[in-house]
Amino acid sequence: MNTGGRPRSEEARLAVLHAVDDLLLEVGYSAMTMKSIADRAKVSRATVYRWWSTKAEVLFEASALDSVKELTIEASGDPRADLVAYLDALAVFLSRSPAGIAYRVLLTEARGDAAVAELFSSRDVLGDTSRPVLERALPGAVGDRVLASFIGPVFFWAASGRDPADLDARELVEAFLRSVRP
Amino acid sequence: MNTGGRPRSEEARLAVLHAVDDLLLEVGYSAMTMKSIADRAKVSRATVYRWWSTKAEVLFEASALDSVKELTIEASGDPRADLVAYLDALAVFLSRSPAGIAYRVLLTEARGDAAVAELFSSRDVLGDTSRPVLERALPGAVGDRVLASFIGPVFFWAASGRDPADLDARELVEAFLRSVRP
Amino acid sequence: MNTGGRPRSEEARLAVLHAVDDLLLEVGYSAMTMKSIADRAKVSRATVYRWWSTKAEVLFEASALDSVKELTIEASGDPRADLVAYLDALAVFLSRSPAGIAYRVLLTEARGDAAVAELFSSRDVLGDTSRPVLERALPGAVGDRVLASFIGPVFFWAASGRDPADLDARELVEAFLRSVRP
Amino acid sequence: MNTGGRPRSEEARLAVLHAVDDLLLEVGYSAMTMKSIADRAKVSRATVYRWWSTKAEVLFEASALDSVKELTIEASGDPRADLVAYLDALAVFLSRSPAGIAYRVLLTEARGDAAVAELFSSRDVLGDTSRPVLERALPGAVGDRVLASFIGPVFFWAASGRDPADLDARELVEAFLRSVRP
DNA sequence: GCATAATCGAGACGGTACGTCCCGTCTTCTG
DNA sequence: CAGAAGACGGGACGTACCGTCTCGATTATGC
């Protein structure tokens, strides 16, 4: 058996992923086309299609790694400070980071596009990154409801286009903690 | 003076708005095209363009009226019950109602499309409808932060595709009230 | 029986006919639209359609009168000079006059458009105007073949875009006369 | 160096040229649209536009080769017979042949459309094909005036919709020769 | 070193939506 | 009634992108 053939160009792969990041910020999701991605990456259109079926897929791969990286909070020893740090990171992520913008866009796309929904089924970025932080502060009490109460306010703030700088994460965490501990 | 001209067809207007509602649910926002709207509404494409510039605009008009209607909670005399009713209505709105789906999609579209962002600047549906209900329960204390804490959890729940039936609005309201009243 | 009603506006009629003449020269036949005619004539589109079915019809009416006028040669007493005068008039008509341009365009349109062909069946402008002049020079000898020999060279000259000033009508008439009188 | 790219489809090219020929006869020039050409040729509209800017350009290419072919008269040894043969061919060409119809239509279109006029500047089909035949009969005497006298009558005959069968080419040639040789 | 094989670029292909323009018809108001 | 205004359904315009394809050129592997 011949396992030969020219190997995939890592250079091309990275060029595409970076192009997608750039274009998302510059022109937005709907104005970003497979053609504009290929042109920006200086790669042929066929090369993009060879490795990704849709722009949602490219975008997902482009943001997946960054998402976890940007939302991972090291344990500082002070669980309450970690919660504040997480919300701060989340606010910036959802409002400013290409990966976070991509996350919001793809989440919206997921409704009405089963292929995109499928991408999310394998990985719950916000849940996976927030749960450890929450567990440190509230051991054993972290269900979906509590998680939504923690993340929701910041998520809504970012989604509705408000400035993350106007958020007071410390105040939000205190309110959150009051809400779970009567 | 001649004020002439054939009057606008109300029939055509409504057909378009209904077509948009239908298509949003059936095929989703990005697969919905101006052509498919016109075809579904049995209206010429030019007629759609005559009155709306983009599909975002049609969608906004189609959902604006319904949005307020679906989120308006009559004062029952029990402010706490009204909060519960609002969150229930909000969960259904964001997860199931065409108007609510449209709201989420347009909000995402607003980032990176100034024209869509402009549409929202004139009308803050969630704020306008929730603020009166909150004011009845917490007179004088309703800033943006409090509003985000109230709405956020449900918004996140719906945005991440979770079932609104699994939400316990009563519990959410109690947690919310604990968070604001130390 | 009611014979009342507002009478047709002669002003509008003339405005349309002049607009057609102007547009034919300025933008050519195919770029001339019913809308541009109406706009140029400062007349409503419906008014144009009320009196003419197609732009070919307007053009025909606009050029019919002028055509005969421009090609009618008074008998000078010298039949040969009249032939020269006719060819000179014909060259200018076909190359420069709006009516003549219209004539050539409509003649081409006639092939493949029965409605336009119909317009010509009632009136043979070139035949009607040239025949009397020819009869004066060659009594009794004017068949279609002779007429074609007389008109043809100038017609071809104009049709192929050559300058009418480069034509020597006197020489053409002499050649023509040599050709018919052995 | 990469000179790559999928090669042009000769099949598509011919399908378009034939479609144009067919449509010209069936529906005429103005009713022939770029869309109808593409549909008839079973080719995408973009493919037509990729290679030709306007329907005039397609039509020109479709008729150019045939035009010369249909109007080329082999020297028979009898110059006078060759002139008759040319006029016969010309009459059929202008009245019946798709290429000839196209020639007449484009010539009319050339007035008022500089792009079409440009097409003709590179190639004078009637002049190029008739001049050699004329030179054999009248060596050294073939100017534009003589050429117009030779071609004009047949051109007018065809342009005004008369039947080419009613033309007597032999008689026309004799008249022509009388006109040039006193 | 030389076939094999997969990648890469370039760019044509059939297709579809875009937003615009004009078609010819209509509906309403004004003169 | 005529005429102006202008909306209507329809359809072609020329452009852009879709996803697929067919090339020649390149870069690995394995004989």
Side-chain angles (χ1 to χ4, degrees):
Chain A
M1 176 196 170
N2 191 339
T3 57
R6 180 175 177 173
R8 174 173 186 185
S9 161
E10 183 64 11
E11 192 179 2
R13 180 178 158 269
L14 292 177
V16 168
L17 297 180
H18 288 142
V20 166
D21 266 7
D22 294 351
L23 287 170
L24 181 65
L25 291 183
E26 289 174 25
V27 306
Y29 181 73
S30 36
M32 174 174 77
T33 67
M34 289 297 251
K35 180 177 194 304
S36 68
I37 294 170
D39 288 353
R40 167 67 77 110
K42 303 201 175 184
V43 143
S44 99
R45 225 138 41 85
T47 297
V48 181
Y49 283 112
R50 215 187 318 273
W51 303 108
W52 300 277
S53 304
T54 62
K55 62 176 174 173
E57 251 181 49
V58 202
L59 193 50
F60 191 82
E61 180 172 340
S63 61
L65 282 182
D66 285 346
S67 297
V68 174
K69 199 175 307 171
E70 296 177 25
L71 293 175
T72 298
I73 303 298
E74 299 291 309
S76 68
D78 177 352
R80 183 177 298 235
D82 290 354
L83 291 177
V84 174
Y86 186 81
L87 289 192
D88 274 333
L90 181 62
V92 170
F93 174 73
L94 292 173
S95 298
R96 304 257 180 273
S97 154
I101 308 295
Y103 180 84
R104 289 208 281 128
V105 166
L106 291 172
L107 206 52
T108 304
E109 267 311 269
R111 227 216 81 87
D113 186 333
V116 180
E118 182 65 22
L119 295 174
F120 279 98
S121 68
S122 61
R123 173 184 290 277
D124 171 12
V125 175
L126 264 43
D128 290 353
T129 54
S130 64
R131 211 173 294 268
V133 184
L134 278 169
E135 284 281 358
R136 278 179 247 145
L138 305 168
V142 186
D144 276 2
R145 212 275 299 148
V146 167
L147 203 143
S149 285
F150 180 56
I151 284 175
V154 173
F155 189 89
F156 174 68
W157 195 268
S160 51
R162 290 172 169 81
D163 190 333
D166 297 340
L167 260 186
D168 182 345
R170 182 174 312 272
E171 169 55 22
L172 273 176
V173 166
E174 277 163 23
F176 167 70
L177 291 175
R178 281 196 298 274
S179 80
V180 290
R181 287 201 210 146
Chain B
M1 180 200 168
N2 194 341
T3 58
R6 181 176 177 171
R8 175 172 184 185
S9 162
E10 184 65 10
E11 194 178 2
R13 179 176 159 270
L14 292 176
V16 168
L17 297 180
H18 289 143
V20 167
D21 266 7
D22 293 351
L23 287 170
L24 180 65
L25 291 182
E26 288 174 26
V27 305
Y29 181 73
S30 35
M32 175 175 77
T33 66
M34 288 297 250
K35 179 180 194 308
S36 68
I37 294 169
D39 287 352
R40 168 66 77 109
K42 303 202 175 183
V43 141
S44 101
R45 224 142 45 85
T47 295
V48 180
Y49 283 111
R50 215 186 319 271
W51 303 108
W52 300 278
S53 303
T54 62
K55 60 177 176 171
E57 251 180 48
V58 201
L59 194 49
F60 191 81
E61 179 172 343
S63 61
L65 282 181
D66 285 346
S67 297
V68 174
K69 201 175 305 173
E70 295 178 26
L71 293 174
T72 297
I73 302 297
E74 299 290 307
S76 69
D78 178 351
R80 185 176 296 233
D82 290 353
L83 291 177
V84 174
Y86 185 83
L87 289 191
D88 273 332
L90 181 62
V92 170
F93 174 74
L94 291 172
S95 297
R96 302 258 181 273
S97 155
I101 308 296
Y103 181 84
R104 289 209 280 125
V105 167
L106 291 173
L107 207 51
T108 304
E109 203 63 6
R111 229 217 78 87
D113 186 334
V116 180
E118 182 66 21
L119 293 175
F120 279 99
S121 68
S122 61
R123 174 183 289 275
D124 172 13
V125 173
L126 264 44
D128 291 352
T129 53
S130 64
R131 210 173 295 271
V133 183
L134 278 169
E135 284 282 356
R136 277 180 248 145
L138 305 168
V142 186
D144 276 4
R145 214 276 296 148
V146 167
L147 203 144
S149 285
F150 179 57
I151 285 175
V154 173
F155 189 91
F156 174 69
W157 195 268
S160 52
R162 289 172 170 81
D163 190 333
D166 296 342
L167 259 186
D168 182 344
R170 182 175 312 272
E171 170 56 22
L172 273 177
V173 166
E174 277 163 22
F176 167 70
L177 291 175
R178 282 195 298 275
S179 80
V180 289
R181 292 206 204 135
Chain C
M1 178 195 171
N2 190 346
T3 57
R6 182 173 174 173
R8 176 174 184 185
S9 160
E10 184 64 11
E11 193 180 1
R13 180 176 159 270
L14 292 176
V16 168
L17 297 180
H18 288 142
V20 166
D21 265 7
D22 293 351
L23 287 170
L24 180 65
L25 291 182
E26 288 173 26
V27 305
Y29 182 72
S30 34
M32 174 175 77
T33 66
M34 288 298 250
K35 180 179 193 306
S36 67
I37 294 169
D39 288 353
R40 167 65 76 109
K42 303 202 174 181
V43 142
S44 101
R45 225 137 40 84
T47 297
V48 181
Y49 283 112
R50 214 188 316 273
W51 304 107
W52 301 277
S53 305
T54 62
K55 63 176 175 173
E57 251 180 48
V58 202
L59 194 49
F60 191 81
E61 179 172 341
S63 61
L65 282 181
D66 285 347
S67 296
V68 175
K69 200 175 305 172
E70 296 178 25
L71 293 174
T72 298
I73 302 298
E74 299 291 309
S76 69
D78 178 352
R80 183 176 296 234
D82 291 352
L83 290 177
V84 174
Y86 186 83
L87 288 192
D88 274 332
L90 181 62
V92 170
F93 174 75
L94 291 173
S95 298
R96 303 258 180 272
S97 154
I101 309 295
Y103 180 83
R104 289 208 280 127
V105 166
L106 291 172
L107 205 52
T108 304
E109 272 302 276
R111 228 217 80 86
D113 186 334
V116 180
E118 182 65 22
L119 294 174
F120 280 98
S121 67
S122 60
R123 174 184 288 276
D124 172 12
V125 174
L126 264 44
D128 291 353
T129 54
S130 64
R131 209 173 295 270
V133 183
L134 278 167
E135 284 283 355
R136 276 180 250 145
L138 305 167
V142 186
D144 275 2
R145 213 274 297 147
V146 168
L147 202 144
S149 285
F150 179 57
I151 285 175
V154 172
F155 189 91
F156 174 69
W157 195 268
S160 51
R162 288 172 170 82
D163 191 332
D166 296 341
L167 261 186
D168 182 345
R170 183 175 310 273
E171 168 58 22
L172 273 177
V173 166
E174 278 162 22
F176 167 69
L177 292 176
R178 281 195 297 276
S179 82
V180 290
R181 291 205 204 138
Chain D
M1 178 200 168
N2 192 342
T3 58
R6 181 175 178 173
R8 175 172 183 184
S9 162
E10 184 66 10
E11 194 178 1
R13 179 178 158 270
L14 292 177
V16 168
L17 297 180
H18 289 142
V20 167
D21 266 6
D22 294 351
L23 287 170
L24 181 65
L25 291 182
E26 289 174 24
V27 305
Y29 182 72
S30 36
M32 174 174 78
T33 66
M34 288 297 251
K35 179 177 195 305
S36 68
I37 294 170
D39 288 352
R40 167 66 77 110
K42 303 201 174 184
V43 142
S44 99
R45 225 141 46 83
T47 296
V48 181
Y49 283 112
R50 211 179 331 263
W51 302 108
W52 300 278
S53 303
T54 61
K55 60 177 176 172
E57 252 181 48
V58 202
L59 194 49
F60 191 82
E61 179 172 342
S63 61
L65 282 181
D66 284 347
S67 296
V68 174
K69 200 175 303 169
E70 296 178 24
L71 293 175
T72 298
I73 302 299
E74 299 290 308
S76 69
D78 177 352
R80 184 176 297 233
D82 290 353
L83 291 177
V84 174
Y86 185 83
L87 289 191
D88 274 331
L90 181 62
V92 170
F93 174 74
L94 292 172
S95 299
R96 304 257 179 273
S97 155
I101 308 295
Y103 181 84
R104 288 208 280 128
V105 166
L106 291 173
L107 206 52
T108 304
E109 203 62 6
R111 229 217 80 86
D113 186 333
V116 180
E118 183 64 21
L119 295 174
F120 280 98
S121 70
S122 61
R123 175 183 288 276
D124 171 14
V125 174
L126 263 44
D128 290 354
T129 53
S130 64
R131 210 174 294 269
V133 184
L134 277 168
E135 285 281 357
R136 278 179 248 145
L138 305 168
V142 186
D144 276 2
R145 212 274 300 150
V146 168
L147 203 143
S149 286
F150 179 56
I151 286 175
V154 173
F155 189 91
F156 174 69
W157 195 267
S160 51
R162 290 174 169 80
D163 190 333
D166 296 341
L167 259 185
D168 182 344
R170 181 174 312 273
E171 170 55 24
L172 273 176
V173 166
E174 277 163 21
F176 167 71
L177 292 175
R178 280 195 299 274
S179 81
V180 290
R181 289 202 209 143

